[in-house]
Amino acid sequence: MDLIRRWPWLPSLIAGGVILALMLLLYAGQPFRGIVAASATNMALVAFFLIGGIFFAIREATGQGGSALVRPLVAGLVPFAGCLVLVVVLRQIFLSDEPFFESLLQDGLGRAVIVYPPAVVAGYIAEAVKRARHAVGPRR
């Protein structure tokens, strides 16, 4: 439950909502089911976890404990896993005739791989900035 409390909900929801709205505009006039629903929700989830993952990794990378090399890698796994699971679940709901492993290997992993590297890079940048500030120290 601590993970849910620490997730940056506001930027994640804004990013996901904007992309979902744009996808709905793109598919205007078409019924929201099947591949239309799967595509729209997939892109919204990618935006949700991409932006949220970056904010989350920055916050977690600058935290205490653990190795500075490991913290950003672990923080990047959270949006990766969340995106993977939700994309696969929603693909199975909207495209019930699609084989599970196709949803998992093509769509789930394909979307989750997109959100991992930016989160890790943002975590390392945040860690480097924190270390640089600490090295400079307070100037009075």
Side-chain angles (χ1 to χ4, degrees), residues 9 21 23 29 40-42 63 69-70 78 86-87 94 108 117:
W9 289 101
M23 293 299 290
T41 55
N42 280 353
L69 288 174
V70 175
V78 172
L86 287 176
V87 165
F94 291 124

Side-chain angles (χ1 to χ4, degrees), residues 58-135:
I58 289 170
R59 183 180 303 151
E60 294 302 306
T62 58
Q64 300 296 326
S67 167
L69 288 174
V70 175
R71 273 195 310 266
L73 294 172
V74 173
L77 288 175
V78 172
F80 176 87
C83 187
L84 175 70
V85 168
L86 287 176
V87 165
V88 170
V89 166
L90 287 175
R91 294 281 300 188
Q92 289 296 294
I93 290 171
F94 291 124
L95 302 172
S96 56
D97 58 337
E98 183 174 84
F100 174 78
F101 285 104
E102 185 176 332
S103 293
L104 175 67
L105 297 175
Q106 289 183 0
D107 298 306
L109 281 175
R111 303 302 189 274
V113 165
I114 293 170
V115 302
Y116 183 72
V120 172
V121 169
Y124 280 125
I125 290 171
E127 182 67 35
V129 168
K130 178 182 95 171
R131 287 179 179 264
R133 280 185 177 168
H134 185 13

